[in-house]
Amino acid sequence: MATQRPPSLPGPIQLKFHPRLILIGAGVLFVIIGLFSGIYQVPANSVAVVQRFGGYLKTAPPGLHFKLPWGFDSATDVEVERQQKLEFGSATQGATSAYQYSADYEEQQEEKNMVTGDLNAVLVEWEVQYHVDDPVDYVFNFREPLRTLRDLSEAVMREVVGDRTVDEVLTIGRQEMEVKALERLQALIHTLDMGIRIDLIQLGNVNPPAGVKASFNEVNSAQQERESMINQASGEYNRVVPRARGEAVQKTSAAEGYATKRVNEAEGDASRFNALLTEYKKAPEVTKKRIYLETMGEVLPYVPGKIIMDEKASSFLPLMNLRQPAPVAPAVEPATQTLTR
């Protein structure tokens, strides 16, 4: 009986790679990766500082650009059109920058704990608004420019607070502190060539420590009440004093005008009497008669019940008019007078 041999198993599959195809595929892959690594896009509110072998090459505007791949060129995006801010002693959630505020609560409390020039403790919160105006200096001059800016801002604010009393810090000195802090911080940044421009420093909550806050509030309330009373008194003063001065000037002007009028009238009367005396000396009788007639012409219209008759008249009763109109403005007591010419 013949023995049957089992069927033979298939051997391992042998793949044959052509060296030329491998080189072509590697080359194509190299080119594709290079193209993708060399293309970069700059956002609309930024510029890109392009470096070649670590040195400055150019500043690329917003848009799509190409650089040498494989690490020969590198591009760093810098936001130059957006105003940014740093917060001290407080935090606004949703910040886009890791340096905008201190994430640690204890560090926030340490930031706002300050000592004034008269050795009083205050809690000062503030924010610094800035923008990048020189991206090259911003990228090359400092390893961490925003961390440096935070340290400089805190140092400047502590210096400004330390130059003032606690009353100035809590009440009337806020605006001056903001201006001084802005000037000093901008001068430091300009000296260090950080490529940053400070737009605004704004104080937030400025309070005394919790243990003495009630006492400070009472003092502040008393000062505000004092200022209110001073302003009210100043308003009353500004209302009454100018009016009194105006009335005084008006009365003085009226008195001066009356005095001038009386002097002019007296001088005119004197001149008239002198002229009359001159005419009297020339013709006494004529002047005397003229004066008499003029005086009668002024007096008679105001004398009621007057009858003028000729001395040669034999009888005056038929001529007498018993209903005479009353004078316009009687200057003498009513009486019937008979004047003989």
Side-chain angles (χ1 to χ4, degrees), residues 273-338:
F273 284 125
N274 289 332
L276 187 62
L277 178 60
T278 302
E279 297 298 328
Y280 179 79
K281 289 180 179 180
K282 292 180 181 179
E285 294 299 328
V286 175
T287 304
K288 190 185 299 183
K289 187 172 182 180
R290 182 171 64 83
I291 293 174
Y292 172 78
L293 294 177
E294 291 177 355
T295 303
M296 289 298 103
E298 295 177 358
V299 173
L300 287 178
Y302 302 102
V303 177
K306 57 183 176 294
I307 299 173
I308 302 174
M309 57 180 298
D310 193 350
E311 62 181 1
K312 297 180 180 181
S314 58
S315 176
F316 87 96
L317 287 178
L319 303 175
M320 187 175 180
N321 185 6
L322 299 178
R323 295 182 179 179
Q324 297 184 7
V328 177
V332 296
E333 297 180 359
T336 303
Q337 299 180 2
T338 302

Side-chain angles (χ1 to χ4, degrees), residues 133-153:
D133 63 348
D134 192 331
V136 178
D137 289 344
Y138 180 80
V139 171
F140 283 96
N141 291 350
F142 287 86
R143 184 182 300 273
E144 294 184 353
L146 295 184
R147 171 57 64 184
T148 305
L149 179 60
R150 286 194 67 89
D151 295 340
L152 290 176
S153 301

Side-chain angles (χ1 to χ4, degrees), residues 43-54:
N45 60 347
S46 306
V47 296
V49 178
V50 182
Q51 306 171 51
R52 178 165 294 173
F53 301 110

Side-chain angles (χ1 to χ4, degrees), residues 24-194:
I24 293 175
V28 172
L29 182 62
F30 180 83
V31 171
I32 293 175
I33 295 175
L35 289 175
F36 276 100
S37 63
I39 296 174
Y40 67 98
Q41 184 175 5
V42 182
N45 60 347
S46 306
V47 296
V49 178
V50 182
Q51 306 171 51
R52 178 165 294 173
F53 301 110
Y56 174 72
L57 178 62
K58 64 179 180 178
T59 300
L64 195 64
H65 302 276
F66 181 80
K67 60 183 177 62
L68 295 180
W70 308 113
F72 295 105
D73 290 351
S74 62
T76 303
D77 292 339
V78 179
E79 292 182 320
V80 295
E81 298 296 335
R82 184 172 72 91
Q83 188 181 65
Q84 307 178 61
K85 69 177 180 178
L86 301 178
E87 296 176 305
F88 298 85
S90 62
T92 301
Q93 300 300 324
T96 57
S97 174
Y99 294 96
Q100 180 169 327
Y101 59 86
S102 299
D104 188 4
Y105 178 77
E106 294 183 358
E107 187 175 353
Q108 293 180 13
Q109 297 302 314
E110 292 178 359
E111 286 177 347
K112 64 182 180 181
N113 277 319
M114 298 187 183
V115 179
T116 61
D118 53 357
L119 301 181
N120 284 288
V122 290
L123 304 178
V124 181
E125 298 178 4
W126 77 100
E127 70 176 34
V128 177
Q129 298 182 9
Y130 69 96
H131 70 273
V132 179
D133 63 348
D134 192 331
V136 178
D137 289 344
Y138 180 80
V139 171
F140 283 96
N141 291 350
F142 287 86
R143 184 182 300 273
E144 294 184 353
L146 295 184
R147 171 57 64 184
T148 305
L149 179 60
R150 286 194 67 89
D151 295 340
L152 290 176
S153 301
E154 185 174 352
V156 167
M157 185 56 68
R158 291 187 183 278
E159 179 184 358
V160 171
V161 172
D163 290 340
R164 285 157 181 79
T165 64
V166 65
D167 292 335
E168 292 175 332
V169 174
L170 293 175
T171 56
I172 61 176
R174 292 174 58 96
Q175 184 175 3
E176 182 187 3
M177 290 170 56
E178 293 173 348
V179 174
K180 290 296 182 182
L182 176 62
E183 293 176 354
R184 295 183 184 182
L185 182 58
Q186 185 58 53
L188 284 175
I189 291 175
H190 180 72
T191 302
L192 297 174
D193 292 330
M194 295 183 63

